[in-house]
mmCIF file with all atom_site columns, all heavy atoms in Angstrom:
data_model
loop_
_atom_site.group_PDB
_atom_site.id
_atom_site.type_symbol
_atom_site.label_atom_id
_atom_site.label_alt_id
_atom_site.label_comp_id
_atom_site.label_asym_id
_atom_site.label_entity_id
_atom_site.label_seq_id
_atom_site.pdbx_PDB_ins_code
_atom_site.Cartn_x
_atom_site.Cartn_y
_atom_site.Cartn_z
_atom_site.occupancy
_atom_site.B_iso_or_equiv
_atom_site.pdbx_formal_charge
_atom_site.auth_seq_id
_atom_site.auth_comp_id
_atom_site.auth_asym_id
_atom_site.auth_atom_id
_atom_site.pdbx_PDB_model_num
ATOM 1  N N   . GLN A 1 7   ? -16.255 -29.385 -47.044 1.00 0.00 ? 1131 GLN A N   1
ATOM 2  C CA  . GLN A 1 7   ? -15.906 -29.140 -48.442 1.00 0.00 ? 1131 GLN A CA  1
ATOM 3  C C   . GLN A 1 7   ? -16.995 -29.832 -49.353 1.00 0.00 ? 1131 GLN A C   1
ATOM 4  O O   . GLN A 1 7   ? -17.538 -29.181 -50.190 1.00 0.00 ? 1131 GLN A O   1
ATOM 5  C CB  . GLN A 1 7   ? -14.549 -29.509 -48.782 1.00 0.00 ? 1131 GLN A CB  1
ATOM 6  C CG  . GLN A 1 7   ? -14.110 -29.201 -50.224 1.00 0.00 ? 1131 GLN A CG  1
ATOM 7  C CD  . GLN A 1 7   ? -12.731 -29.534 -50.567 1.00 0.00 ? 1131 GLN A CD  1
ATOM 8  O OE1 . GLN A 1 7   ? -12.157 -30.516 -50.005 1.00 0.00 ? 1131 GLN A OE1 1
ATOM 9  N NE2 . GLN A 1 7   ? -11.967 -28.763 -51.248 1.00 0.00 ? 1131 GLN A NE2 1
ATOM 10 N N   . CYS A 1 102 ? -21.342 -13.225 -36.380 1.00 0.00 ? 1226 CYS A N   1
ATOM 11 C CA  . CYS A 1 102 ? -21.966 -12.463 -37.542 1.00 0.00 ? 1226 CYS A CA  1
ATOM 12 C C   . CYS A 1 102 ? -23.496 -12.615 -37.695 1.00 0.00 ? 1226 CYS A C   1
ATOM 13 O O   . CYS A 1 102 ? -24.046 -12.522 -38.648 1.00 0.00 ? 1226 CYS A O   1
ATOM 14 C CB  . CYS A 1 102 ? -21.279 -12.814 -38.836 1.00 0.00 ? 1226 CYS A CB  1
ATOM 15 S SG  . CYS A 1 102 ? -19.434 -12.807 -38.692 1.00 0.00 ? 1226 CYS A SG  1
ATOM 16 N N   . THR A 1 104 ? -26.394 -11.340 -36.783 1.00 0.00 ? 1228 THR A N   1
ATOM 17 C CA  . THR A 1 104 ? -27.336 -10.479 -37.092 1.00 0.00 ? 1228 THR A CA  1
ATOM 18 C C   . THR A 1 104 ? -27.490 -10.240 -38.629 1.00 0.00 ? 1228 THR A C   1
ATOM 19 O O   . THR A 1 104 ? -28.511 -10.443 -39.166 1.00 0.00 ? 1228 THR A O   1
ATOM 20 C CB  . THR A 1 104 ? -27.172 -9.003  -36.375 1.00 0.00 ? 1228 THR A CB  1
ATOM 21 O OG1 . THR A 1 104 ? -27.229 -9.294  -34.972 1.00 0.00 ? 1228 THR A OG1 1
ATOM 22 C CG2 . THR A 1 104 ? -28.284 -8.090  -36.728 1.00 0.00 ? 1228 THR A CG2 1
ATOM 23 N N   . LYS A 1 124 ? -21.977 -31.088 -36.727 1.00 0.00 ? 1248 LYS A N   1
ATOM 24 C CA  . LYS A 1 124 ? -22.891 -29.940 -36.320 1.00 0.00 ? 1248 LYS A CA  1
ATOM 25 C C   . LYS A 1 124 ? -24.339 -30.528 -36.003 1.00 0.00 ? 1248 LYS A C   1
ATOM 26 O O   . LYS A 1 124 ? -25.189 -29.806 -35.487 1.00 0.00 ? 1248 LYS A O   1
ATOM 27 C CB  . LYS A 1 124 ? -23.001 -28.881 -37.447 1.00 0.00 ? 1248 LYS A CB  1
ATOM 28 C CG  . LYS A 1 124 ? -21.710 -28.312 -37.906 1.00 0.00 ? 1248 LYS A CG  1
ATOM 29 C CD  . LYS A 1 124 ? -20.933 -27.612 -36.809 1.00 0.00 ? 1248 LYS A CD  1
ATOM 30 C CE  . LYS A 1 124 ? -19.672 -26.969 -37.322 1.00 0.00 ? 1248 LYS A CE  1
ATOM 31 N NZ  . LYS A 1 124 ? -19.782 -25.557 -37.694 1.00 0.00 ? 1248 LYS A NZ  1
ATOM 32 N N   . GLY A 1 171 ? -10.444 -6.476  -24.135 1.00 0.00 ? 1295 GLY A N   1
ATOM 33 C CA  . GLY A 1 171 ? -11.743 -6.171  -23.841 1.00 0.00 ? 1295 GLY A CA  1
ATOM 34 C C   . GLY A 1 171 ? -12.750 -7.032  -24.681 1.00 0.00 ? 1295 GLY A C   1
ATOM 35 O O   . GLY A 1 171 ? -12.334 -8.042  -25.310 1.00 0.00 ? 1295 GLY A O   1
ATOM 36 N N   . VAL A 1 199 ? -36.380 -13.096 -25.247 1.00 0.00 ? 1323 VAL A N   1
ATOM 37 C CA  . VAL A 1 199 ? -35.112 -12.240 -25.252 1.00 0.00 ? 1323 VAL A CA  1
ATOM 38 C C   . VAL A 1 199 ? -35.210 -11.077 -26.278 1.00 0.00 ? 1323 VAL A C   1
ATOM 39 O O   . VAL A 1 199 ? -34.822 -9.949  -25.916 1.00 0.00 ? 1323 VAL A O   1
ATOM 40 C CB  . VAL A 1 199 ? -33.943 -13.171 -25.485 1.00 0.00 ? 1323 VAL A CB  1
ATOM 41 C CG1 . VAL A 1 199 ? -32.792 -12.376 -25.905 1.00 0.00 ? 1323 VAL A CG1 1
ATOM 42 C CG2 . VAL A 1 199 ? -33.652 -14.033 -24.142 1.00 0.00 ? 1323 VAL A CG2 1
#
Side-chain angles (χ1 to χ4, degrees):
Q1131 186 175 36
C1226 309
T1228 298
K1248 308 297 184 90
V1323 161

